[in-house]
Amino acid sequence: VSATLEASRITEAHRLAQARLGVATVADLLATWSLIDPKRLDETTPNWLLVSTRVIQQRRTESARLAADFLNVSRLLAVGEMFAPVVMSAVDVTALTTSLTVTGPVALKQAMTLARPLAAAAETAQATSAASGMRHALAGGRETIAETTKADPAARGYRRVTSGSACKFCSNLADRGAVYDEATRHFAAHDSCSCSSQPLYIDGWGDTQRVAQFMRRDLTDAQRADANARVRAWVGSS
Ligand SMILES: [Zn+2]
């Protein structure tokens, strides 16, 4: 198997694992919505926010860990050794609270003043707030890849990885290819976006900087087996 092929296999396994994590986050958040009573919005919103934030923080940590593991395996295969990932697991509580409140209770309140049917409006707010929570959870992995490739001297950036059914916004961004510069460091993602990213390494980095036995072609059987076990774990995880 060529290095490029191996890298894309690993990238796809990681993308799918993050997408599943996103789906699981949405399911969690659809459930926490039961804490909201549309007729007592002001009283019930704080507890919903508290529980939802806890759920998202947990999922975000999982997303960041998954990305860190992915970075380790990718770099091992490309460069021959690992680089300590910059793990971005802490959720931005202020930004998250704003996202959840605006897409959930505030949107519902607005719909109620417009005399929309309550059940339908509540269902919409439930879905849109869950989608925004998913974005905050998956930011853990996305930011881990962006920050690590920025810190890693052997990395030259990352590229966006989409599913076959990506929206136009995401397809356009993916078509731009590698992201190198400071200005585009932050991963642009809309709510419900399932895009991931792939680290890109400087060709031949290992040739000049590292001793030959660490080179990819000389990976030990144990290192290769470890990489394969991790990829299998991503594929199998739910
Ligand atoms: Zn996307």
Side-chain angles (χ1 to χ4, degrees):
V1 190
S2 80
T4 319
L5 212 75
E6 207 155 358
S8 48
R9 179 180 70 100
I10 289 163
T11 299
E12 182 61 4
H14 170 258
R15 183 187 72 77
L16 288 170
Q18 293 284 5
R20 270 197 302 273
L21 190 61
V23 170
T25 308
V26 168
D28 289 346
L29 294 172
L30 291 177
T32 64
W33 186 259
S34 63
L35 296 168
I36 289 277
D37 179 352
K39 290 177 184 123
R40 292 171 54 242
L41 262 185
D42 290 342
E43 297 93 314
T44 55
T45 292
N47 192 38
W48 167 75
L49 269 177
L50 196 75
V51 175
S52 300
T53 300
R54 211 177 294 150
V55 163
I56 291 160
Q57 176 62 76
Q58 198 180 326
R59 293 299 189 180
R60 182 177 169 124
T61 302
E62 285 177 48
S63 174
R65 279 198 197 128
L66 198 56
D69 199 22
F70 167 57
L71 285 159
N72 281 334
V73 173
S74 299
R75 197 183 196 274
L76 182 64
L77 291 173
V79 180
E81 59 180 27
M82 294 181 190
F83 174 85
V86 183
V87 183
M88 303 290 288
S89 47
V91 79
D92 179 345
V93 177
T94 310
L96 174 62
T97 301
T98 303
S99 293
L100 288 176
T101 309
V102 168
T103 52
V106 169
L108 180 52
K109 229 177 229 182
Q110 278 165 353
M112 284 158 83
T113 59
L114 296 169
R116 300 248 162 81
L118 181 59
E123 212 170 284
T124 302
Q126 178 186 24
T128 52
S129 60
S132 82
M134 168 180 144
R135 177 169 61 81
H136 284 273
L138 296 188
R142 289 163 177 159
E143 289 173 19
T144 294
I145 292 171
E147 293 296 326
T148 303
T149 51
K150 184 180 171 270
D152 182 353
R156 57 184 175 87
Y158 65 86
R159 72 177 186 90
R160 190 182 196 88
V161 182
T162 63
S163 73
S165 58
C167 67
K168 200 156 188 251
F169 172 83
C170 293
S171 308
N172 283 343
L173 285 176
D175 287 346
R176 288 186 202 165
V179 176
Y180 305 93
D181 60 284
E182 192 73 14
T184 47
R185 218 173 94 206
H186 291 287
F187 192 98
H190 54 83
D191 291 351
S192 295
C193 174
S194 292
C195 292
S196 182
S197 51
Q198 175 185 15
L200 300 169
Y201 297 98
I202 295 164
D203 287 341
W205 175 269
D207 297 327
T208 52
Q209 310 272 344
R210 305 285 175 235
V211 279
Q213 69 262 31
F214 284 131
M215 291 293 294
R216 193 201 157 271
R217 63 175 174 273
D218 294 324
L219 282 186
T220 64
D221 287 347
Q223 284 172 320
R224 191 172 296 280
D226 179 54
N228 276 317
R230 286 165 198 247
V231 172
R232 271 198 305 276
W234 302 334
V235 173
S237 68
S238 54

